[in-house]
Amino acid sequence: MLRSSPAGVTLAVRAQPGAKKTAITGLYGEGPAAQLKVAVRAPPLEGRANQALIVFLAETFRVPKNAVELIAGELSRSKVFLLRGVPLNKAEEAISAFNLLNSPSL
C-alpha cells in the first residue's frame, strides 16, 4: 500500500465514490497488493472524486494539496497517489492512527 520513492511515498488507494462522508474505511486486499480503502462523498463525475481524494489525503498526511499527485488510475477505483516530501515512516504513522490492522479486508 505504501512504497518509498525518491520524491516521497506512493500510496495505493481503493476509492468508493458517492459515499455519505469521506473517510478511511479499511483495507482492500492483502499483502503487497493491499490498498487503503477510502469512501469519498463526491461523485465519480468530471474528476470530482479524484479532487476530493487529493484534498482528503492532503489533510490526512498534513501536506499541501499540490504535494498530492494522482499518478495512476484516474478512471479506476484503484488509484496510486504520490505524496511528495512525505517520508515512509511518517506516512506509516499517519495510517497506523486509523487502527487498520484489526479491520477486515475484502
Side-chain angles (χ1 to χ4, degrees), residues 10-91:
T10 59
L11 173 66
V13 171
R14 179 71 176 189
Q16 296 177 298
K20 289 185 179 186
K21 68 177 188 171
T22 300
I24 293 174
T25 58
L27 296 177
Y28 180 84
E30 295 179 356
Q35 299 171 318
L36 187 65
K37 193 167 25 170
V38 181
V40 182
R41 190 164 188 247
L45 301 171
E46 301 169 356
R48 288 188 224 162
N50 289 338
Q51 191 58 38
L53 273 169
I54 289 170
V55 170
F56 177 74
L57 292 174
E59 291 171 357
T60 300
F61 292 95
R62 295 188 173 119
V63 295
K65 287 186 289 188
N66 64 359
V68 180
E69 179 184 348
L70 176 62
I71 58 174
E74 183 178 348
L75 299 177
S76 171
R77 286 180 180 236
S78 294
K79 302 176 182 301
V80 178
F81 289 90
L82 172 63
L83 306 174
R84 292 186 190 282
V86 177
L88 183 60
N89 64 334
K90 293 293 182 186

